[in-house]
Amino acid sequence: MVLFFHQDSSKTHLRPRLTTASGRIVNIEVQVERYKFFIQRIIYYLAKMLVEQMKAGFNYGRINQTICVVIANHILCPEEEHYLNSYDLRNPITGRLFTDLLKVVILELPKVPETDDNRAIWPWLQFFKCKTKEDFTMLAKTHPEVKPAINEYAKLSWSDRRRMIADYKEKARRDKYAMMEFAKDEGRDEGIALGEVKGIAIGEAKGLERLRNTARKMKIRGIPVNQIAEDTGLTLEEVEQL
């Protein structure tokens, strides 16, 4: 997959940022594989962009909309059928928008149809899916609007492309580590949950056996069966069978 983005100052992620003419601040995340806390990371950087606008004596009325655009090469929102989905702060009952200052846009490449669906964004997503020079050439012929981007990519020197690939591999390495941690956490959580279930079952079994032993001793002392059942919580049938 072609990545037509510059690396940010962190030197670890392909996270370009731009400001529109209207003042909106847009952060773009390109993600190949899903890993634990990715959604939390999206929200973190979205909120960070908003907070970074604040300065001493800053007027809250001057805060601009912040948008995080995620281009995912995997299914990030399995509950959604469309490849383009946007999320903001709304009342879940009325659907009324609370504020448009925070917005997340998710683009899932696997859901993009192979044939043009006549949406303006379709050829740009196809640009991300191009792998060969022929793919770019065909896309430029059918959708001239993306040709400037294709031309800019073609102008990149071999060293620039190698640097982009190196940057991408570094990000992939970090994401792989995050996914490994996710897998370990998942396994640990499952193990703890299983252990808790087994522990509860063992504890209940031991507690029931203690009640039965107590009931046996009470029967030996001649205490009425109904009184034993009441004191131990066992049923009359359980007490009579001891």
Side-chain angles (χ1 to χ4, degrees), residues 98-161:
F98 180 67
T99 178
D100 67 349
L101 289 179
L102 297 172
K103 185 175 183 179
V104 177
V105 178
I106 307 294
L107 297 162
E108 298 168 291
L109 295 180
K111 293 181 181 179
V112 178
E114 292 299 323
T115 57
D116 193 344
D117 62 358
N118 296 319
R119 299 188 69 175
I121 197 171
W122 184 89
W124 296 98
L125 295 180
Q126 286 298 119
F127 173 84
F128 279 91
K129 299 174 71 174
C130 287
K131 297 179 180 179
T132 66
K133 183 178 180 180
E134 289 71 24
D135 292 337
F136 284 113
T137 301
M138 182 61 66
L139 182 62
K141 286 182 178 180
T142 57
H143 293 85
E145 64 270 29
V146 302
K147 189 174 181 179
I150 294 175
N151 290 339
E152 286 298 319
Y153 178 73
K155 291 179 183 178
L156 291 176
S157 66
W158 175 241
S159 60
D160 289 334
R161 295 188 186 189

Side-chain angles (χ1 to χ4, degrees), residues 2-199:
V2 176
L3 300 179
F4 189 57
F5 293 102
H6 297 290
Q7 192 177 24
D8 74 352
S9 58
S10 69
K11 304 301 181 184
T12 59
H13 295 289
L14 294 174
R15 185 182 301 111
R17 182 182 300 182
L18 58 90
T19 301
T20 66
S22 62
R24 294 176 179 174
I25 301 175
V26 183
N27 180 66
I28 302 175
E29 286 274 353
V30 179
Q31 187 63 34
V32 176
E33 296 185 37
R34 189 176 186 177
Y35 59 91
K36 191 174 184 181
F37 303 133
F38 179 57
I39 292 178
Q40 288 88 332
R41 193 181 82 179
I42 292 173
I43 299 303
Y44 168 78
Y45 283 105
L46 184 64
K48 185 178 180 181
M49 286 192 298
L50 188 144
V51 173
E52 286 177 349
Q53 299 180 53
M54 303 295 293
K55 299 178 181 179
F58 189 83
N59 184 347
Y60 287 104
R62 296 174 58 189
I63 296 178
N64 291 313
Q65 183 185 41
T66 56
I67 305 172
C68 182
V69 178
V70 178
I71 302 174
N73 196 36
H74 61 93
I75 303 301
L76 182 60
C77 306
E79 68 281 1
E80 307 285 6
E81 61 176 305
H82 302 293
Y83 62 82
L84 168 59
N85 295 284
S86 62
Y87 303 88
D88 46 32
L89 296 178
R90 292 180 181 272
N91 186 323
I93 298 176
T94 65
R96 187 174 295 110
L97 181 67
F98 180 67
T99 178
D100 67 349
L101 289 179
L102 297 172
K103 185 175 183 179
V104 177
V105 178
I106 307 294
L107 297 162
E108 298 168 291
L109 295 180
K111 293 181 181 179
V112 178
E114 292 299 323
T115 57
D116 193 344
D117 62 358
N118 296 319
R119 299 188 69 175
I121 197 171
W122 184 89
W124 296 98
L125 295 180
Q126 286 298 119
F127 173 84
F128 279 91
K129 299 174 71 174
C130 287
K131 297 179 180 179
T132 66
K133 183 178 180 180
E134 289 71 24
D135 292 337
F136 284 113
T137 301
M138 182 61 66
L139 182 62
K141 286 182 178 180
T142 57
H143 293 85
E145 64 270 29
V146 302
K147 189 174 181 179
I150 294 175
N151 290 339
E152 286 298 319
Y153 178 73
K155 291 179 183 178
L156 291 176
S157 66
W158 175 241
S159 60
D160 289 334
R161 295 188 186 189
R162 290 182 63 184
R163 175 180 55 79
M164 290 177 66
I165 293 172
D167 292 342
Y168 175 73
K169 287 183 176 180
E170 173 63 15
K171 181 179 184 295
R173 184 188 66 79
R174 291 175 179 273
D175 288 350
K176 182 178 180 181
Y177 174 78
M179 286 187 286
M180 290 174 62
E181 290 298 309
F182 172 59
K184 289 195 294 184
D185 288 345
E186 287 284 292
R188 187 182 303 112
D189 292 343
E190 291 179 2
I192 291 174
L194 181 60
E196 289 178 348
V197 171
K198 289 184 177 180

